[in-house]
Amino acid sequence: MITTQCRTDCMYCYADRNRKNDLTSWQIIKVIDEAHDMGVVNLALTGGDIFAFPDWKEVIRKVGQYGFTPLLSTKIPLKEDDIYFLKESGIKFLQFSLDSIFPSTLQTMVRVKEDYIDNVKQMFEYS
């Protein structure tokens, strides 16, 4: 579990996002190194949302270095350079969870800004 943090605030979320004892980047990298050294062949990166972790690119770079190809899941619309970074790092799958296409419903359910769905559409154009 990379982080308990998330940039959405889903009304149905069960996660304890008040927890403040996330691992540091160094600790996460150490776990990834140890997993590789032990012969682990599959690695899951869960959360919260990995893209809410400040050093997510460092973590992705490390898992790519070892050839791990975790499925990442997010509700955060990513920017074009982030999509290309993921592709270059060997990430083959990205699950995007979309609760609705209606801005008013999204604002109520996941408490996002009005331009959220436009940002989601833009992200899919980068893929």
Side-chain angles (χ1 to χ4, degrees):
M1 178 180 238
I2 301 299
T3 183
T4 59
Q5 300 306 302
C6 189
R7 292 193 189 132
T8 57
D9 186 18
C10 302
M11 64 189 307
Y12 53 79
C13 185
Y14 58 85
D16 180 7
R17 290 183 305 201
N18 293 320
R19 195 179 107 196
K20 300 295 183 204
N21 59 344
D22 287 344
L23 296 175
T24 65
S25 299
W26 180 85
Q27 290 170 316
I28 293 167
I29 297 299
K30 185 174 183 226
V31 168
I32 295 168
D33 287 336
E34 290 174 0
H36 174 262
D37 293 346
M38 291 177 4
V40 170
V41 295
N42 192 13
L43 185 70
L45 302 176
T46 63
D49 193 312
I50 187 171
F51 300 108
F53 185 70
D55 296 325
W56 69 266
K57 285 185 177 180
E58 185 178 335
V59 173
I60 295 299
R61 193 173 287 116
K62 179 55 82 168
V63 298
Q65 176 185 351
Y66 288 136
F68 293 124
T69 56
L71 170 69
L72 304 177
S73 180
T74 189
K75 285 181 180 270
I76 298 173
L78 300 174
K79 299 192 181 329
E80 185 174 17
D81 62 327
D82 295 333
I83 296 292
Y84 289 123
F85 174 82
L86 291 172
K87 287 179 180 180
E88 290 171 4
S89 299
I91 300 299
K92 296 179 178 148
F93 303 102
L94 177 67
Q95 174 186 324
F96 190 86
S97 180
L98 183 62
D99 293 271
S100 174
I101 60 168
F102 301 108
S104 61
T105 303
L106 288 164
Q107 289 171 0
T108 301
M109 286 185 70
V110 294
R111 297 177 183 98
V112 293
K113 295 181 181 176
E114 195 171 308
D115 64 347
Y116 178 82
I117 197 67
D118 292 329
N119 293 333
V120 170
K121 289 176 189 175
Q122 186 69 48
M123 179 189 77
F124 282 113
E125 290 180 11
Y126 303 142
S127 301

